[in-house]
Amino acid sequence: MSETGLRERKKQRMYQTVSDTAIRLFLERGFDAVSVADVAAAAEISKPTLFRYFPTKEDLVLYRFADHEDEAARVVREGPSPVEALRRHFLDGLERCDPITGLNDDPEVLAYQSLLYGTPALVARMYGYLERSEAALAEALGGGLEARLAAGQIVAVQRVLAQENWRRIAAGERAAEVRGDAMAAAERAFGVLEAGLPGLVARHTEAE
């Protein structure tokens, strides 16, 4: 392995280790009761080093979303139409109980999601992530106002579907019990999107 590749792997391990350490502390004590200095001490690094990796305290938690930020933008290139590609991808995520779909009843995943949705500062920061995801998707759809409007609708649908799945599981239902309704809801939601965005679908198909 090259020296550059080794440095990158060490960097990614540092991100993961510090984020995992922070989330463990937040779950034990509560987000507001843990300082950045507490996290740095537990991770055995300095505060300046921590801030080089994570600009804000909230980013320590949202790092788990990092790989998903441009996911929708990547997926739209994988199918016959943007909405169809995203529909298939979301349904596949439900089949795999991908936490990003909200359909996961693993206790650690539920604890993380409760921390995320139950902490106002994290909810506010998450909207920044959603805005960046929406912007990347709009660019992948060709840019312009219509693409931005379509991206906003798509991201909103994915968010609402995931939150509904999480809400039911957090209330005590098992993922296996929710899956059927979750699949049907996703099919309906993406069907509405496809019907409402015919111009976008047609232009994307012509561009292939």
Side-chain angles (χ1 to χ4, degrees):
M1 178 177 292
S2 68
E3 184 176 345
T4 300
L6 181 60
R7 283 200 303 269
E8 185 60 29
R9 285 186 61 183
K10 290 177 66 176
K11 182 178 179 181
Q12 291 305 316
R13 282 199 299 270
M14 175 65 80
Y15 273 112
Q16 191 67 58
T17 298
V18 177
S19 176
D20 287 348
T21 298
I23 290 170
R24 175 176 56 79
L25 292 175
F26 296 151
L27 290 174
E28 289 174 357
R29 308 181 200 171
F31 183 79
D32 294 330
V34 178
S35 68
V36 171
D38 292 332
V39 176
E44 300 182 337
I45 59 175
S46 67
K47 279 181 63 176
T49 297
L50 186 149
F51 279 124
R52 283 202 297 272
Y53 286 89
F54 299 96
T56 73
K57 182 180 174 182
E58 291 77 16
D59 289 331
L60 288 160
V61 178
L62 292 173
Y63 172 71
R64 290 189 180 179
F65 280 87
D67 289 343
H68 294 282
E69 190 166 294
D70 63 349
E71 185 172 71
R74 295 195 306 268
V75 168
V76 297
R77 302 181 179 91
E78 297 175 0
S81 77
V83 176
E84 175 61 15
L86 290 164
R87 183 190 70 83
R88 292 177 184 177
H89 185 75
F90 194 87
L91 291 174
D92 179 64
L94 291 174
E95 289 284 0
R96 294 182 288 104
C97 289
D98 188 333
I100 202 71
T101 68
L103 190 70
N104 190 299
D105 53 17
D106 182 276
E108 291 186 6
V109 172
L110 287 176
Y112 172 81
Q113 291 176 328
S114 294
L115 170 69
L116 179 63
Y117 294 124
T119 307
L122 292 174
V123 172
R125 188 68 174 175
M126 183 170 61
Y127 274 95
Y129 151 81
L130 291 173
E131 287 178 351
R132 292 190 296 275
S133 179
E134 185 179 308
L137 177 57
E139 184 177 349
L141 293 174
L145 178 60
E146 188 170 347
R148 293 197 298 274
L149 290 170
Q153 293 176 64
I154 292 166
V155 170
V157 162
Q158 293 176 321
R159 175 180 58 82
V160 171
L161 289 171
Q163 287 186 334
E164 174 63 12
N165 295 336
W166 170 78
R167 182 193 64 78
R168 290 182 59 179
I169 292 174
E173 296 184 68
R174 303 294 297 174
E177 298 168 342
V178 177
R179 180 180 286 108
D181 288 345
M183 298 283 282
E187 291 279 17
R188 290 196 304 272
F190 281 98
V192 170
L193 280 174
E194 189 114 44
L197 302 171
L200 170 68
V201 173
R203 283 196 301 277
H204 185 86
T205 302
E206 291 170 2
E208 293 295 321

